[in-house]
Amino acid sequence: MDLSNTPSINGRGRTPTGKTEPRIISRLRARQIWLDAQGFGRRIVAGKGVKAVTDVVRHLGYVQIDTINVIERCHHHILFTRLPSYKRGDLHKAQSKQKSVFEYWTHALAYVATEDYRFFKRAMAEHRAPPPPHFAKVGEDDTRRLLERIEREGPISIRDIDDDVLVEKDHAWASRKPSKKVLSKGFYDGVLTVSARSGMLKTYDLADRHFGWDEPPRPASEDEVNAYVLERALRAQGIISLDSACHLEARRKPAIRALIEQRVALGELIPVLLKDDKTEHWVAPEVLERRAARSEPEAHILSPFDPMIIQRKRLELFFGYAHLFEAYVPPDKRVLGYFALPVLYDGRIVAAIDIKADRQAKRLMINKWTNFGEGGSEQQRAVEDALQRFEIFQFAG
């Protein structure tokens, strides 16, 4: 542990004035803590199958869903990196059979553990009154008719609705079927839930019927939601900042800071600074004192939507790597490629590889490979092994 330049402290890290001074830690130690929390330094769950999938989703807090299909969808990709035995059917069973995960909006559309459902009910209620502008034209009669149909006929997808009068799209990703907005609004309102998914085709059911609740979970209070957000960040990140804990939820920062300060006063969190940086971070004492896991270096091909990658400023601060997501950048201005995947090896981002799946030939095509620094033969073999594992997974089953 790097404690160089640590201020003089008394007792449990307090100056004579009573203020808890931050410890100074190296970026290497900060990376180790984050990697361990994410499941790359040590396994974060045991076993395999549906329970392991649910446990990974619970530990990470959420697993992002995205539409891009150049390679395997990012939710499957993210789970595969933490669970080498992962099978896509395990996620389907968790969502549709055991109902231990569900879909909702975190910082993006994501899978969340169903036991956390109550922490999202406030957002569902806020979504209903008043609805956001893009749902303002969804009429009560249209909603009532569709909900009655689902109650009568069972779960449906947008493909099951063939009596819509098609309209012009108002967005490139929109549907020409007006019922798509009715389904989406019901989903965000919490009246409907995604009961099954085939690729990006979603099947919706009444939430109460899908989960089989005698009584729906009670909504968490705002204080409970804030505590949940903080716990989720500490569990999945190990070492946190206000930005990382409140990713794309800046309104929560005052409340989360107050919670952090309470825990610092109780000795449950320690303030830390990364060497040569002034960004405030916090970590639990037992996490800071834990020995870093040591094992043979292994490479991992990461999704651009992986929790390790999605917070770009944090990634650059910890790893010195600024990831470029260039899918929407003109081809002549791309640096890493259309869908570059960062490569993690031995606690560093060592490369970014732009890959496309050739599904007919069942092989991965490398469009561009960008190395960062000199890696040596061991690193090269490890990355090639990771690519081979990912290719096998990509076309399995």
Side-chain angles (χ1 to χ4, degrees):
M1 184 186 307
D2 182 357
L3 299 180
S4 59
N5 300 321
T6 303
S8 176
I9 55 178
N10 295 325
R12 295 194 330 189
R14 297 184 182 276
T15 66
T17 63
K19 181 181 179 181
T20 302
E21 293 290 342
R23 296 192 191 184
I24 311 298
I25 66 172
S26 67
R27 280 170 171 73
L28 173 60
R29 183 66 187 120
R31 288 199 302 270
Q32 289 170 338
I33 292 171
W34 191 14
L35 288 166
D36 277 0
Q38 280 286 309
F40 292 110
R42 64 180 78 234
R43 284 290 299 272
I44 53 177
V45 301
K48 58 184 180 179
V50 176
K51 183 179 184 305
V53 167
T54 304
D55 288 346
V56 169
V57 174
R58 179 187 301 112
H59 180 92
L60 296 178
Y62 52 79
V63 170
Q64 185 170 336
I65 302 167
D66 195 82
T67 59
I68 293 179
N69 196 31
V70 175
I71 56 167
E72 183 52 87
R73 305 281 186 188
C74 70
H75 41 285
H76 294 305
H77 188 169
I78 292 166
L79 290 167
F80 169 70
T81 58
R82 276 75 176 181
L83 288 171
S85 63
Y86 172 71
K87 293 180 173 58
R88 296 165 187 80
D90 295 337
L91 180 59
H92 170 72
K93 291 175 184 175
Q95 179 175 25
S96 301
K97 305 297 183 183
Q98 296 193 9
K99 301 165 187 177
S100 54
V101 301
F102 73 104
E103 295 185 25
Y104 204 67
W105 191 268
T106 54
H107 73 287
L109 187 63
Y111 284 104
V112 183
T114 303
E115 67 185 52
D116 293 338
Y117 191 93
R118 72 188 191 95
F119 297 110
F120 294 85
K121 293 200 73 173
R122 289 182 69 84
M124 294 171 183
E126 290 169 0
H127 197 277
R128 288 194 290 271
H134 54 284
F135 287 135
K137 294 182 180 179
V138 176
E140 292 184 6
D141 288 344
D142 292 334
T143 299
R144 177 183 50 78
R145 280 196 296 269
L146 192 54
L147 293 180
E148 287 176 351
R149 175 177 173 179
I150 295 172
E151 184 172 14
R152 183 176 62 252
E153 299 179 10
I156 64 172
S157 74
I158 192 62
R159 290 184 184 172
D160 297 319
I161 300 172
D162 55 12
D163 56 354
D164 270 356
V165 177
L166 302 186
V167 299
E168 290 300 317
K169 290 186 177 186
D170 57 8
H171 188 281
W173 297 340
S175 171
R176 293 188 64 205
K177 292 185 176 183
S179 295
K180 177 66 182 297
K181 279 194 175 182
V182 181
L183 290 171
S184 294
K185 184 177 185 299
F187 168 78
Y188 285 108
D189 289 353
V191 178
L192 299 176
T193 194
V194 177
S195 60
R197 174 182 284 271
S198 176
M200 297 307 289
L201 179 66
K202 294 172 283 189
T203 297
Y204 296 85
D205 196 2
L206 302 174
D208 289 351
R209 182 169 65 191
H210 172 75
F211 292 109
W213 289 317
D214 293 328
E215 291 187 16
R218 67 172 182 83
S221 68
E222 187 67 12
D223 287 345
E224 289 174 325
V225 174
N226 288 328
Y228 163 75
V229 169
L230 177 57
E231 288 294 342
R232 181 178 70 185
L234 288 167
R235 184 177 64 245
Q237 299 172 16
I239 177 172
I240 66 166
S241 67
L242 268 182
D243 281 343
S244 73
C246 304
H247 182 49
L248 299 185
E249 285 195 286
R251 68 183 181 87
R252 295 197 181 277
K253 286 185 177 181
I256 298 297
R257 176 177 279 280
L259 283 174
I260 289 171
E261 289 174 352
Q262 290 174 15
R263 297 196 183 193
V264 170
L266 293 170
E268 296 174 357
L269 289 177
I270 297 173
V272 294
L273 293 174
L274 275 61
K275 194 171 182 179
D276 301 322
D277 185 74
K278 296 181 180 180
T279 307
E280 295 177 289
H281 285 85
W282 296 269
V283 62
E286 64 273 15
V287 172
L288 186 60
E289 301 301 332
R290 183 188 298 151
R291 288 179 177 270
R294 293 301 304 166
S295 58
E296 289 297 316
E298 186 178 40
H300 299 275
I301 312 299
L302 302 183
S303 166
F305 305 109
D306 193 284
M308 287 293 303
I309 305 299
I310 199 65
Q311 296 196 36
R312 303 285 194 255
K313 290 183 179 179
R314 176 178 170 91
L315 179 70
E316 186 171 8
L317 176 61
F318 279 54
F319 286 87
Y321 168 68
H323 183 68
L324 301 173
F325 183 69
E326 301 175 309
Y328 306 115
V329 174
D332 61 334
K333 296 185 182 299
R334 291 175 190 151
V335 177
L336 300 178
Y338 177 84
F339 201 67
L341 308 180
V343 180
L344 177 68
Y345 173 76
D346 199 21
R348 296 169 292 124
I349 303 294
V350 299
I353 308 177
D354 182 26
I355 299 174
K356 179 179 176 63
D358 181 342
R359 291 179 172 83
Q360 186 171 355
K362 292 191 174 182
R363 64 186 181 93
L364 293 177
M365 300 186 299
I366 296 175
N367 297 321
K368 186 172 184 179
W369 184 318
T370 306
N371 285 320
F372 307 123
E374 297 294 329
S377 59
E378 288 187 10
Q379 175 181 303
Q380 183 67 21
R381 283 196 298 271
V383 175
E384 290 174 356
D385 287 346
L387 282 169
Q388 185 176 31
R389 293 195 304 273
F390 186 59
E391 184 175 60
I392 292 170
F393 167 71
Q394 171 78 49
F395 301 111

